[in-house]
Amino acid sequence: MDYTWVMDERDFYTETPETKRATYICPKCRQSAEFQIRWVRRTKKKHIPPGARDSDRAKFTKAGDYLARVDDMLTCPNPRCRGRFEIPDFQTVVLL
Ligand SMILES: [Zn+2]
């Protein structure tokens, strides 16, 4: 039997959803608004999951906790606009 299954990095972490407030200006109507941005907090598990290989073990040792942004697109809350735009912030990962 050929085991090609590779452990997903997600198996190393416990995921907790989080929201962060941020203010952005809509590029369409130029109105600034506060948004609830969804993030997920990945906390490293105490023990490596069973079935881990040596390469997984090395990755697990190096892995650290981080926050990853879930949302990419926002909808302008202005009822006359309702424009969709991309979050103008390139930081999608925050190491903890
Ligand atoms: Zn707008």
Side-chain angles (χ1 to χ4, degrees):
M1 224 202 215
D2 184 19
Y3 286 98
T4 48
W5 177 73
V6 175
M7 188 162 282
D8 195 314
E9 196 209 36
R10 279 165 184 245
D11 295 331
F12 297 166
Y13 294 102
T14 306
E15 296 192 341
T16 323
E18 254 182 51
T19 52
K20 282 186 180 203
R21 277 189 290 182
T23 303
Y24 294 114
I25 295 168
C26 170
K28 244 171 119 186
C29 68
R30 297 268 140 214
Q31 212 174 82
S32 80
E34 199 177 64
F35 297 92
Q36 297 280 350
I37 312 294
R38 287 176 300 159
W39 292 73
V40 63
R41 178 182 288 268
R42 297 209 167 108
T43 312
K44 191 165 125 176
K45 288 178 180 169
K46 290 237 169 12
H47 303 287
I48 192 162
R53 296 187 291 197
D54 287 347
S55 56
D56 297 320
R57 241 167 252 286
K59 269 194 254 169
F60 186 78
T61 307
K62 272 190 258 166
D65 298 354
Y66 66 96
L67 273 172
R69 201 177 70 197
V70 175
D71 288 326
D72 283 323
M73 297 295 288
L74 297 172
T75 303
C76 178
N78 178 354
R80 290 180 306 280
C81 172
R82 289 272 166 209
R84 294 262 297 158
F85 62 94
E86 221 170 287
I87 296 178
D89 193 338
F90 297 109
Q91 196 173 31
T92 56
V93 169
V94 179
L95 299 175
L96 302 169

